[in-house]
Amino acid sequence: MKRYIIPVLALLSVACTKNFEEYNTNPYGVNQEEYQRSPIGGNELLQLQNLVLPQQENSYQMCFDLAATPYAGYAATQDNFDNKYPMYNASTGWMDYLFDDTYPKIYTPYFALKNYANGDMSKTYFALGSVLRVAITHWLTDTYGPLPYSQMQVGNTKVAYDSQKDLYLKMCEELKQAITTLKNAPADDRQYKEFDAVYKGDLQKWAKYASSLLLRLSIRMSDVDEADAKTYAQFAINSGVITANSDNPVYANNDNPVRKMADWGDSCTSADIVEYMNAFSDPRREKYFTKVATTVSQTQEYIGLRAGRIESVKSGLKNDGKWLLYSRPNVSKTDGIYWITAAEVAFIKAEMALKGWSFITETAEDLYKQGVKLSFDQHGVGGADAYLNVTATRGNFVDPHQSAYSATFTSDITVKWASTDTNEQKLAKIITQKWLSMYPYNAHEAWAEWRRTGYPNLLPTMVNNSGGVITTVNQQNGKDKAGMRRLPFSSKETTNNGDNKAAAVRMLGGADTGATDLWWVKQN
């Protein structure tokens, strides 16, 4: 993990004020003339866009790459100190970071937008800001559970938490209001073009994104609150969700944080996703991963690193250079970041069809196949029809570089859809293909769906250092159970907001540990 020391320049004295304005103008900021020309809330909207997937490298590393990608089966880290998350013993400061770093960054711009609009959701900039707040908050609540939300106020740090159910319902209601406002905006309204790194000011596309986000929240709570989930899902479908890759929200940037993690040598591709795609001979591998040489034949292959580490490996893979023997994300510095895709939306609808929700007019099978084809098209690869007939399954994991990392493993999940499959087998296929399609950016979403459904089957950690608090991942009736279910609430809240934190722990229905399931996990 990189750390930077930022010099602070102190102005001790100024003998002359002739060039005061020139000297005290931020060359990277917005000058007064430009600010007056800016649409209301433009700068604040950009700040919120930067947080949906954190653009600052340390925030991305701490909030996504270390905390979510190992649990999602997307990435593994080499340094010994970095492997604490998969071993279930990350430090308190690390687990606090997601909340402590992100929350202040959300509410400074959000409250500014709310103030400009006097809380009026009919103002397009506040509607869009509200969508972005939901987009950020939903991965935070899916990390911790209950959070301060509906009672947040400017300058107040002692805020009551919403239960996760109440928070979800509040987010869904806000998305409904925002969608209505954005859909009613003039189709040619592009006043926020210069402050929009995703859709260049196209508010109609933002409405589709908001509807798709509402659909995502609906499926998450569908196993524990089906009535509300169906209501919000139907509203989202009727409003118009993303169905084509041309409408995917892609955050444009010139310093892709996923690439930066790979360049630093801090993150390799996980054995889990590589092994599934190798078993399926998945044509997307060349777009997803770099190739590396095996030690025996020196042929170039896709090789993933297992998350966690063996205690006897003292030096750490990064220190001894072995990390170069494992595939990394095939991402360039200027690649755009996908927040949600048409493929994911198709897979969500496929699960809803599997549940028998009548407003989904296509079959689960057709939507499943659409999802696969949309993902292939998104990545510019062919062969989707042949891929949809693959019947291979994933087996044992063999690490060609470190035999101690190898593992006995089986999973019955395959690609081909069969009419004779049980609904559970069909669900496993839907979630596994959705999981594959969301790589590499939606690690929090992948981790959440794995906890909710038990799919795909993932390798257990090699070392469990939780002291008996967390049970190592294991399969029961084909579904993954146990593993890391959440992060404990920020320790700083004990001092800053103790009574409300204590109430939030009671809302969990279990201990404030990584072993307690969140609200949307159906208890079997």
Side-chain angles (χ1 to χ4, degrees):
M1 181 171 58
K2 307 300 181 189
R3 294 177 174 86
Y4 301 95
I5 298 174
I6 303 174
V8 179
L9 301 179
L11 184 62
L12 300 179
S13 64
V14 179
C16 177
T17 59
K18 178 178 179 182
N19 296 316
F20 181 84
E21 183 174 350
E22 176 185 348
Y23 294 153
N24 290 278
T25 298
N26 179 358
Y28 304 105
V30 179
N31 63 38
Q32 188 64 27
E33 182 180 354
E34 291 169 331
Y35 185 82
Q36 291 174 351
R37 292 200 306 266
S38 300
I40 296 173
N43 291 299
E44 287 81 4
L45 290 173
L46 273 177
Q47 291 174 50
L48 289 170
Q49 290 167 48
N50 288 339
L51 297 175
V52 175
L53 183 143
Q55 294 306 292
Q56 200 279 334
E57 57 267 24
N58 293 327
S59 292
Y60 172 76
Q61 185 174 46
M62 295 299 290
C63 294
F64 273 68
D65 196 56
L66 295 180
T69 58
Y71 298 144
Y74 280 173
T77 49
Q78 298 81 244
D79 272 342
N80 288 350
F81 75 90
D82 281 348
N83 277 301
K84 294 177 181 178
Y85 268 112
M87 295 160 66
Y88 310 145
N89 72 333
S91 67
T92 298
W94 282 19
M95 293 187 290
D96 290 354
Y97 191 100
L98 288 76
F99 180 91
D100 296 346
D101 180 69
T102 309
Y103 244 67
K105 294 178 181 176
I106 297 173
Y107 283 97
T108 298
Y110 173 78
F111 280 138
L113 292 166
K114 187 175 183 179
N115 180 58
Y116 300 153
N118 291 318
D120 183 358
M121 190 73 87
S122 70
K123 305 294 185 183
T124 55
Y125 56 86
F126 185 48
L128 185 49
S130 297
V131 171
L132 293 167
R133 180 171 79 138
V134 171
I136 304 160
T137 300
H138 98 79
W139 62 258
L140 279 168
T141 183
D142 291 345
T143 299
Y144 295 107
L147 288 176
Y149 190 79
S150 64
Q151 298 186 55
M152 288 291 291
Q153 296 176 350
V154 176
N156 185 10
T157 59
K158 298 184 184 301
V159 183
Y161 286 54
D162 291 315
S163 70
Q164 194 174 37
K165 177 178 181 177
D166 289 345
L167 200 160
Y168 256 73
L169 296 178
K170 179 67 173 175
M171 289 193 296
C172 289
E173 283 298 317
E174 289 179 354
L175 286 175
K176 280 184 63 178
Q177 294 177 57
I179 289 164
T180 300
T181 295
L182 296 171
K183 282 178 64 69
N184 287 336
D188 59 351
D189 184 348
R190 295 292 186 276
Q191 64 176 307
Y192 288 96
K193 180 178 180 181
E194 302 304 319
F195 300 86
D196 183 351
V198 180
Y199 286 130
K200 300 300 181 185
D202 191 332
L203 298 176
Q204 301 306 309
K205 287 193 174 184
W206 275 110
K208 285 188 178 183
Y209 168 67
S211 297
S212 303
L213 185 57
L214 180 58
L215 200 73
R216 179 191 274 181
L217 298 183
S218 300
I219 198 63
R220 182 84 86 256
M221 63 182 183
S222 61
D223 296 330
V224 294
D225 186 2
E226 186 176 43
D228 283 320
K230 288 173 72 172
T231 297
Y232 290 123
Q234 186 162 15
F235 180 91
I237 295 291
N238 292 343
S239 297
V241 295
I242 295 168
T243 57
N245 285 321
S246 57
D247 289 334
N248 289 340
V250 184
Y251 180 94
N253 75 108
N254 294 310
D255 200 14
N256 188 294
V258 174
R259 173 56 184 265
K260 188 165 285 186
M261 298 303 103
D263 286 346
W264 285 354
D266 285 351
S267 188
C268 291
T269 304
S270 171
D272 277 305
I273 191 166
V274 172
E275 288 299 296
Y276 272 108
M277 296 183 82
N278 282 344
F280 299 158
S281 299
D282 197 309
R284 291 170 291 185
R285 285 175 295 174
E286 65 179 281
K287 302 293 185 178
Y288 280 23
F289 319 126
T290 61
K291 277 188 173 183
V292 289
T294 64
T295 54
V296 179
S297 64
Q298 293 300 301
T299 56
Q300 296 289 307
E301 296 181 8
Y302 303 105
I303 303 173
L305 176 65
R306 190 174 174 189
R309 66 176 173 87
I310 303 297
E311 290 291 343
S312 61
V313 180
K314 299 296 185 184
S315 63
L317 297 177
K318 186 176 177 183
N319 293 337
D320 61 22
K322 288 183 180 177
W323 68 278
L324 295 169
L325 301 175
Y326 296 89
S327 297
R328 287 175 284 170
N330 188 13
V331 174
S332 78
K333 187 176 180 180
T334 57
D335 277 356
I337 293 166
Y338 287 80
W339 289 353
I340 196 170
T341 63
E344 182 189 338
V345 171
F347 290 124
I348 293 171
K349 291 194 291 184
E351 184 179 352
M352 291 177 174
L354 193 66
K355 290 177 178 292
W357 293 6
S358 60
F359 54 87
I360 304 296
T361 57
E362 296 165 280
T363 67
E365 179 180 2
D366 286 346
L367 288 162
Y368 171 77
K369 291 178 178 178
Q370 281 180 34
V372 171
K373 291 178 179 180
L374 283 164
S375 180
F376 273 53
D377 289 345
Q378 176 190 330
H379 294 284
V381 297
D385 288 331
Y387 178 78
L388 284 164
N389 284 304
V390 170
T391 57
T393 58
R394 178 182 163 187
N396 293 339
F397 171 59
V398 178
D399 187 319
H401 305 304
Q402 301 180 107
S403 60
Y405 282 59
S406 300
T408 301
F409 185 86
T410 59
S411 174
D412 293 333
I413 300 170
T414 187
V415 179
K416 187 174 181 179
W417 188 279
S419 58
T420 55
D421 288 338
T422 65
N423 271 10
E424 197 63 37
Q425 289 172 322
K426 291 173 182 177
L427 177 64
K429 293 177 181 182
I430 291 168
I431 300 300
T432 299
Q433 287 301 321
K434 180 164 73 167
W435 173 73
L436 292 174
S437 76
M438 293 190 296
Y439 178 85
Y441 300 112
N442 281 287
H444 273 284
E445 187 65 18
W447 178 31
E449 287 295 84
W450 173 80
R451 286 174 283 161
R452 180 179 71 89
T453 66
Y455 303 117
N457 302 135
L458 302 179
L459 283 162
T461 185
M462 291 180 282
V463 179
N464 183 336
N465 282 341
S466 71
V469 173
I470 298 166
T471 303
T472 301
V473 172
N474 60 91
Q475 285 187 36
Q476 298 177 26
N477 298 320
K479 303 176 73 153
D480 279 3
K481 298 290 185 179
M484 196 72 170
R485 313 305 290 179
R486 61 180 290 275
L487 298 188
F489 293 122
S490 171
S491 63
K492 293 183 178 61
E493 284 285 275
T494 303
T495 301
N496 299 336
N497 195 22
D499 290 344
N500 289 315
K501 177 182 174 180
V505 172
R506 292 191 292 272
M507 293 174 188
L508 283 173
D512 185 20
T513 69
T516 298
D517 269 319
L518 297 183
W519 162 71
W520 35 254
V521 176
K522 183 178 180 179
Q523 302 301 319
N524 295 321

